[in-house]
Amino acid sequence: DMKVTQMPRYLIKRMGENVLLECGQDMSHETMYWYRQDPGLGLQLIYISYDVDSNSEGDIPKGYRVSRKKREHFSLILDSAKTNQTSVYFCASSSGTGNYAEQFFGPGTRLTVL
Amino acid sequence: GQQVKQSSPSLTVQEGGISILNCDYENDMFDYFAWYKKYPDNSPTLLISVRSNVDKREDGRLTVFLNKSGKHFSLHITASQPEDTAVYLCAAGGGSNYKLTFGKGTLLTVTP
């Protein structure tokens, strides 16, 4: 069963706290992505990972970092969260070398930073 | 500026009619084009994708038309149904970076 999972699904943090969002996939996909979605802005790419320890900035990387130590796991880290990082965060994966337009998305994490 | 643009934030179609969703892009290097469907509080799911070597692809009620010279692609949904009501996101990508750029979405409402 092809699946992308995200934990937690909902998270409330205070400004300045650290945040860890986890993503997993069971399809052995090489490429994984972190996006955020905000009203009126659509999906914006934060980071892309091409494989273990092979990560690249997306369009809005400031304030975020990522970690990929196993192919099936991709983490998004917010060091000292800010209120403007309140958003819905989606993780996705694709086969990369195949049709990377076919991305499989996780259910999303709704993060609120107070 | 927006590299992928959906100029219509919303569209209303009667049940049984044809829904036409449009997307314009700026980057000549884009060679993958896709449409995703998203229900509120859910994640996007891929509907259909094409590469630039074709100008049309059909899959059931869905057809994607690609006009590379005009930097435009569209999604046609025939026999539209109320359950087609959702936000439709277009996306385009190209080159070796495996990145997709998404439009902001069009809310399609199919009325009974």
Side-chain angles (χ1 to χ4, degrees):
Chain A
D1 189 24
M2 299 186 294
K3 205 170 183 181
V4 178
T5 57
Q6 289 185 237
M7 291 291 288
R9 295 292 315 280
Y10 301 90
L11 187 61
I12 299 175
K13 287 285 193 177
R14 296 197 179 277
M15 192 169 59
E17 292 184 329
N18 298 334
V19 176
L20 174 64
L21 305 184
E22 308 261 31
C23 176
Q25 50 99 0
D26 61 3
M27 296 167 278
S28 299
H29 283 168
E30 294 172 341
T31 310
M32 296 186 74
Y33 310 80
W34 275 106
Y35 295 91
R36 64 178 281 177
Q37 181 172 39
D38 301 288
L41 294 179
L43 278 169
Q44 299 177 87
L45 179 66
I46 306 171
Y47 266 94
I48 181 172
S49 174
Y50 297 104
D51 210 329
V52 171
D53 285 329
S54 179
N55 307 317
S56 180
E57 294 180 347
D59 299 320
I60 52 163
K62 187 177 179 183
Y64 304 94
R65 61 183 175 94
V66 292
S67 175
R68 191 157 178 213
K69 297 301 181 185
K70 293 182 180 180
R71 180 173 280 190
E72 61 268 26
H73 289 134
F74 189 33
S75 302
L76 180 69
I77 301 130
L78 288 66
D79 295 313
S80 186
K82 300 173 181 53
T83 55
N84 62 9
Q85 291 178 308
T86 292
S87 187
V88 179
Y89 291 86
F90 288 103
C91 173
S93 72
S94 76
S95 60
T97 51
N99 180 4
Y100 66 88
E102 184 175 344
Q103 295 189 9
F104 295 84
F105 283 81
T109 295
R110 186 175 293 274
L111 172 67
T112 302
V113 182
L114 302 175
Chain B
Q2 282 180 258
Q3 288 209 51
V4 177
K5 189 173 180 181
Q6 296 178 253
S7 53
S8 298
S10 63
L11 172 69
T12 300
V13 172
Q14 272 203 317
E15 184 175 4
I18 299 177
S19 301
I20 300 176
L21 300 147
N22 294 301
C23 191
D24 298 296
Y25 63 94
E26 296 178 356
N27 192 335
D28 287 330
M29 299 302 295
F30 285 158
D31 61 359
Y32 274 115
F33 306 91
W35 286 95
Y36 285 75
K37 183 177 183 179
K38 186 181 182 303
Y39 293 112
D41 297 327
N42 271 277
S43 54
T45 55
L46 177 71
L47 283 177
I48 189 169
S49 65
V50 294
R51 291 202 69 169
S52 58
N53 57 349
V54 298
D55 54 15
K56 178 182 171 181
R57 182 183 173 199
E58 290 182 64
D59 184 1
R61 295 189 296 116
L62 308 177
T63 303
V64 176
F65 294 92
L66 175 61
N67 175 355
K68 284 218 78 176
S69 62
K71 297 184 189 176
H72 176 85
F73 61 110
S74 61
L75 175 67
H76 291 216
I77 307 173
T78 58
S80 298
Q81 302 163 6
E83 49 266 39
D84 294 329
T85 294
V87 173
Y88 289 79
L89 303 169
C90 65
S96 59
N97 63 16
Y98 300 162
K99 292 180 182 177
L100 274 186
T101 301
F102 285 84
K104 293 183 179 181
T106 296
L107 172 62
L108 172 66
T109 303
V110 181
T111 58

